[in-house]
Amino acid sequence: MTELDVSSDLQQRAAGGSVGAQLRQAREARGMSIDGVGQAIKLAPRQVAAIEADAFDQLLSPTYARGFIRNYASLIGLDAQALLASLDQQHVCAT
């Protein structure tokens, strides 16, 4: 894969609105840092980064991941239920 292909792939994922991309974009739009989000919802910065990277396997369990996403969404004003539904759809498509 060329550098252009990788860049295009990353842009398509962000535009496609993966759960992590949506959370990251909303956080950045609000001028919040990863550390700030982590402190507010009691997560380590690495956990917030894993959520934003859609690396949910790096979190404790799927149940915890869903709770973390719910709390993160609530903090930044996104619809948690819609994000969780999107997460379910991503998971179905990924398998």
Side-chain angles (χ1 to χ4, degrees), residues 43-66:
L43 293 178
R46 66 176 173 74
Q47 291 172 302
V48 176
I51 292 168
E52 290 185 357
D54 295 309
F56 306 114
D57 59 325
Q58 294 179 15
L59 303 172
L60 296 172
S61 74
T63 302
Y64 279 102
R66 293 178 70 82

Side-chain angles (χ1 to χ4, degrees), residues 3-74:
E3 186 176 325
L4 181 58
D5 292 337
V6 171
S7 176
S8 178
D9 182 50
L10 291 173
Q11 289 174 355
Q12 286 176 349
R13 282 192 216 166
S18 75
V19 170
Q22 290 179 61
L23 290 166
R24 179 186 49 77
Q25 289 168 353
R27 173 185 59 77
E28 290 174 347
R30 286 161 181 75
M32 297 178 75
S33 68
I34 287 177
D35 289 339
V37 168
Q39 289 176 1
I41 60 174
K42 311 275 191 269
L43 293 178
R46 66 176 173 74
Q47 291 172 302
V48 176
I51 292 168
E52 290 185 357
D54 295 309
F56 306 114
D57 59 325
Q58 294 179 15
L59 303 172
L60 296 172
S61 74
T63 302
Y64 279 102
R66 293 178 70 82
F68 296 162
I69 291 166
R70 185 177 290 113
N71 291 341
Y72 192 167
S74 295

